[in-house]
Amino acid sequence: MKLQTRYTDISELLAIEDMPTRAADPALLLFNDKLAQSLGISHDPEYLAGQLSGSITDDSVKPIALGYSGHQFGHFSPHLGDGRAHLLGAVKDVEGVLWDIQLKGAGATVFSRGGDGRCAIGPAVREFIMSEAMAALGVATTRCLAVVTTGETVYRQPPRPGAVVTRVAKSHIRVGSFQYLATQGDIEGLEKLVDYALSCHFPEIDTRAEQRYVDFLTAVIDKQIELIISWMRVGFIHGVMNTDNTLVSGETIDYGPCAMMNQFDFDTVFSSIDHQGRYAFGNQPNIANWNCARLAESLLPLFKNEQQALSLLSSAVNSFAEKFNHAFTTMWRRKLGLLDEHDDNQALVTELLTLMQQNNLDYTNTFNALTESLLADFALPDSIKGWAAKWRVRTSAESYDIMRAVNPAVIPRNHNIEMILAEYEKTGCSSMLNGFLSVLSKPYVYDQQFESWYEPPENGDANYQTFCGT
Ligand code: AMP
Ligand code: MG
């Protein structure tokens, strides 16, 4: 693995050299061959177990931990940072694009604040499943290259085997990274960070142009809109959309308390600590908008004229809602295969969503059934049959392909992941896990033989909860 060091010349506050802790007995549990190939990394289990647990690093590797701030559930924490992550460096893919290689769970860092910097096997495997499923669903996301078991115990309730996840990302530049430098008054670093983010993610924006900061904010807003639309298209609930968990690249990051919605309801929340529903399924656009406003605030010190800056930045932030609503309308139209702009499109969508909520219909299975009903005699829930007759006359020959491309047949349902994790922890056998990963790799193919993976949980979501920082 040929690793390049990134971020260190932006600001000494941002990137701090920090060595991972050696693992007692590292072993490669999961390895993403396809991703590895695109990054030019060969499958050498012994070498990879050492390298990807942080246990062997050659002299060319200078691991760092990144500092960042974060609005967590609306409250500002100025000093967060990578408390359980080490960035080994970046590799170039076959097209010359740089990708960060980050180890999560390889011991404490300068930012750990009393935490152990460790990761238990369950959350590590869950992150692997979720991020690879999201990538296959066409959602922008950080990826998982590997999960390595450490041979050590992580002290949780109850104690668990330890693991290290290797996360691969276009960058680890978060909204919280800008907040971090702005809060500490490092204006030169802040300026360099914008320039670096532009060169990595928005090369079309001229880094010398006067309006570059507003262009940057606008480009991040557009990426966030695209991201939230794709989350909502597939029923994903992130669960902890803090500014430290928002990458300016628009990739999904931090698969902690996330979960997939089963029964359709905009108010769905799974996170055990989200009592107010701040990060509920249907509130995700508002929060993304709020997070973009926090990015705008952190860019303010870069402007000479504060009044002018406020006006330019707030007009960019205020454009979020209209742009989002337009993209959201298009998303529903595609999910229903409605090709033409029609006055009653919105009414048709609203009526369906109301029926789905009233009748506790499964989000994925309802849209999958509607899709397949265009090809064959596919059973639809009784409660939407009357609605479907009205919808059917509005579809056309191309509707099936349009719907099939955006409505998944299979998603990484929470109860399936829990079952697989329990099975793996009990038997140490990963065959069910690998079988599920294979089904999830083709989410837009409906195949009856995989029907057991399509079923929602028997008792609904009543008792399902997710947890942070596990
Ligand atoms: P997260 O909820 O994963 O976004 O984490 C929020 C903050 O807590 C980040 O600064 C993490 O680095 C830190 N953190 C989470 N788990 C641990 C841990 N086990 N040890 C040290 N820091 C952690
Ligand atoms: Mg985080």
Side-chain angles (χ1 to χ4, degrees), residues 68 80-84 112-113 115-118 156 244-245 254:
Y68 49 84
L80 287 175
D82 288 331
R84 57 163 171 176
S112 293
R113 296 169 298 146
D116 62 1
R118 301 287 182 184
R156 301 286 184 268
D244 49 303
N245 292 334
D254 255 316

Side-chain angles (χ1 to χ4, degrees), residues 315-445:
S315 97
V317 172
N318 293 339
S319 71
F320 187 108
E322 194 183 330
K323 286 189 199 172
F324 182 84
N325 288 338
H326 183 263
F328 204 39
T329 305
T330 307
M331 179 200 95
W332 291 117
R333 270 179 58 194
R334 296 184 73 77
K335 281 184 81 68
L336 289 176
L338 301 172
L339 295 181
D340 44 303
E341 306 254 2
H342 206 281
D343 286 347
D344 75 350
N345 276 350
Q346 192 52 47
L348 212 50
V349 171
T350 307
E351 188 182 341
L352 173 64
L353 296 182
T354 307
L355 287 169
M356 284 171 68
Q357 183 169 352
Q358 283 168 351
N359 295 284
N360 300 326
L361 297 189
D362 184 82
Y363 186 57
T364 304
N365 288 353
T366 305
F367 280 98
N368 180 65
L370 289 169
T371 307
E372 289 301 316
S373 75
L374 291 179
L375 267 203
D377 190 15
F378 202 93
L380 293 177
D382 286 341
S383 52
I384 62 164
K385 279 185 176 156
W387 173 89
K390 286 189 282 181
W391 160 74
R392 187 70 195 248
V393 295
R394 298 283 316 287
T395 58
S396 62
E398 294 101 84
S399 294
Y400 176 81
D401 287 343
I402 292 171
M403 291 176 71
R404 196 61 288 173
V406 296
N407 294 323
V410 65
I411 53 164
R413 290 187 192 268
N414 319 319
H415 68 293
N416 285 332
I417 294 186
E418 299 305 328
M419 177 181 75
I420 283 168
L421 291 177
E423 167 78 14
Y424 174 73
E425 286 206 41
K426 200 167 103 201
T427 65
C429 170
S430 51
S431 65
M432 197 197 274
L433 168 59
N434 286 319
F436 192 39
L437 285 170
S438 157
V439 174
L440 290 171
S441 70
K442 294 192 187 75
Y444 298 105
V445 177

